[in-house]
Amino acid sequence: MSRTNFKYLVLSSVFNILCAQNIKDGNFTPIVMWHGMGDSCCFSFSLGAVKEKLEEALPGIHVVSLRIGDSEVTDVENGYFLHPDKQIKMACDLVNSDPLLADGFNALGFSQGAQFLRALVQRCKTVKIKNLISLGGQHQGVYGLPNCGSLSNSICDYIRRLLNHAAYFGWVQKALVQATYWHDPLHEQDYKNHSTFLSDINNELTINQLYIERLQTLDNLVLVKFENDTVVQPAETEWFGFYKPGQSNKIETLQESRLYTEDRLGLQKLDKNSKLQFLAVPGNHLQFDWPWFKENIISPYLKN
């Protein structure tokens, strides 16, 4: 090997190391995104476009859009039919396998992806999430499914019938993701006893102290509610509100709920430490414009 070629290889190696270090230790904390029901990690009309926008706004940033499965099609299917416990384990493994996320990252959850990311904080001990931004997340569950994404109307109708009449049957809980965060206020105890996901991550029956401690590690938990939401029922679940137990008309805010007054999840502590943020968007589910997103999400929470 000539001296010139050797010199080139050394300089090239140094350049690559410096570039990798710059990406890892650059001006912007990496971002991890998790899509909602009926969506996938990388569709060009949804999270693929958001990823591009983030990369334009924050040059050099490392953005990961979680794909739960070996293809985009599988990713969509798993959003309906793979139990959240399994999805969160897969997400934990994906995050841990990326060395650029080892020092921490900000997280953007879209619709059901928001409560899944919250569960990732609570359950995956090795992740370091700084700001968790929940865009239309259903943190107290849903009681209604007027629109179920990309599935056909006949399948949507079948899912609705299952949820209305058999949400807490064991086989439905295992087979349908949306059943695991179905919250029937008319049968509150059935929800607490038989929800195999949401009841657990909300500490409904027992207190998992680790869940509380893990949430306190966040810099901010940012809850974005879409004020004219026709997809999520009730929309107040996006701020941890829900129907008062025993009926489905009157809404109970987070601050009025047992979850907050007993501080079963540490949300009251987050609130008192100014780590719990409430934002509202005057639009339908996940409908926001880029200027609003830049001003309210990127500038205060992602530019660091």
Side-chain angles (χ1 to χ4, degrees):
M1 180 185 294
S2 70
R3 182 176 297 179
T4 300
N5 286 339
F6 178 75
K7 182 179 179 181
Y8 170 78
L9 286 173
V10 171
L11 289 174
S12 177
S13 298
V14 171
F15 177 77
N16 288 335
I17 291 170
L18 289 175
C19 284
Q21 190 68 22
N22 183 57
I23 292 173
K24 183 177 179 181
D25 298 331
N27 294 325
F28 305 117
T29 299
I31 296 172
V32 171
M33 303 190 297
W34 199 332
H35 64 81
M37 177 181 70
D39 202 355
S40 179
C41 64
C42 313
F43 286 153
S44 60
F45 53 83
S46 58
L47 262 64
V50 174
K51 184 175 185 291
E52 288 185 4
K53 287 282 193 180
L54 287 168
E55 291 168 343
E56 290 174 8
L58 306 168
I61 194 167
H62 180 53
V63 182
V64 176
S65 187
L66 294 172
R67 187 180 74 186
I68 308 300
D70 56 9
S71 69
E72 291 184 20
V73 172
T74 305
D75 191 20
V76 174
E77 292 173 347
N78 285 339
Y80 291 103
F81 306 120
L82 183 66
H83 195 281
D85 289 353
K86 295 179 180 179
Q87 295 194 50
I88 290 152
K89 176 62 168 64
M90 292 174 68
C92 185
D93 292 341
L94 285 170
V95 170
N96 285 331
S97 68
D98 188 336
L100 296 183
L101 302 177
D103 292 333
F105 56 91
N106 292 314
L108 286 173
F110 297 78
S111 197
Q112 74 179 17
Q115 59 259 34
F116 293 171
L117 277 173
R118 174 164 66 87
L120 186 71
V121 175
Q122 294 172 209
R123 291 178 173 177
C124 187
K125 300 177 185 179
T126 49
V127 302
K128 301 174 184 176
I129 297 181
K130 297 182 178 182
N131 295 298
L132 172 55
I133 293 97
S134 165
L135 294 153
Q138 298 103 53
H139 295 283
Q140 278 280 31
V142 296
Y143 187 55
L145 193 71
N147 184 328
C148 59
S150 59
L151 294 186
S152 69
N153 287 335
S154 61
I155 297 177
C156 279
D157 289 340
Y158 176 66
I159 289 175
R160 289 190 195 99
R161 288 198 297 272
L162 270 180
L163 292 174
N164 281 323
H165 301 292
Y168 302 124
F169 287 11
W171 71 270
V172 178
Q173 286 284 314
K174 291 179 181 178
L176 185 61
V177 168
Q178 289 68 41
T180 69
Y181 58 86
W182 183 260
H183 187 166
D184 185 345
L186 305 180
H187 301 90
E188 188 74 15
Q189 200 58 44
D190 285 344
Y191 152 68
K192 292 177 181 179
N193 289 337
H194 302 298
S195 167
T196 57
F197 171 66
L198 189 68
S199 178
D200 173 71
I201 67 165
N202 281 0
N203 278 346
E204 293 285 8
L205 286 179
T206 60
I207 302 294
N208 186 327
Q209 193 62 35
L210 178 64
Y211 289 176
I212 296 173
E213 293 170 1
R214 291 285 301 158
L215 284 179
Q216 302 309 310
T217 66
L218 293 172
D219 291 344
N220 290 283
L221 173 55
V222 183
L223 304 173
V224 179
K225 180 178 75 171
F226 294 86
E227 294 181 323
N228 300 312
D229 205 319
T230 62
V231 176
V232 172
Q233 294 181 354
E236 288 78 9
T237 186
E238 297 166 10
W239 278 1
F240 272 96
F242 205 69
Y243 298 113
K244 291 183 178 182
Q247 50 81 57
S248 59
N249 292 307
K250 295 181 180 179
I251 296 292
E252 180 178 71
T253 67
L254 167 63
Q255 291 76 10
E256 295 169 329
S257 71
R258 169 174 170 263
L259 189 65
Y260 189 90
T261 58
E262 297 179 8
D263 209 17
R264 299 183 66 85
L265 201 54
L267 296 176
Q268 184 184 135
K269 185 175 181 180
L270 279 177
D271 197 12
K272 289 181 177 178
N273 289 332
S274 300
K275 290 185 172 187
L276 188 59
Q277 316 299 336
F278 299 89
L279 300 179
V281 185
N284 204 344
H285 193 59
L286 298 184
Q287 299 300 305
F288 55 86
D289 58 38
W290 193 246
W292 178 90
F293 191 82
K294 288 177 69 175
E295 179 180 352
N296 293 279
I297 303 299
I298 292 180
S299 292
Y301 302 111
L302 305 182
K303 268 193 173 179
N304 55 39

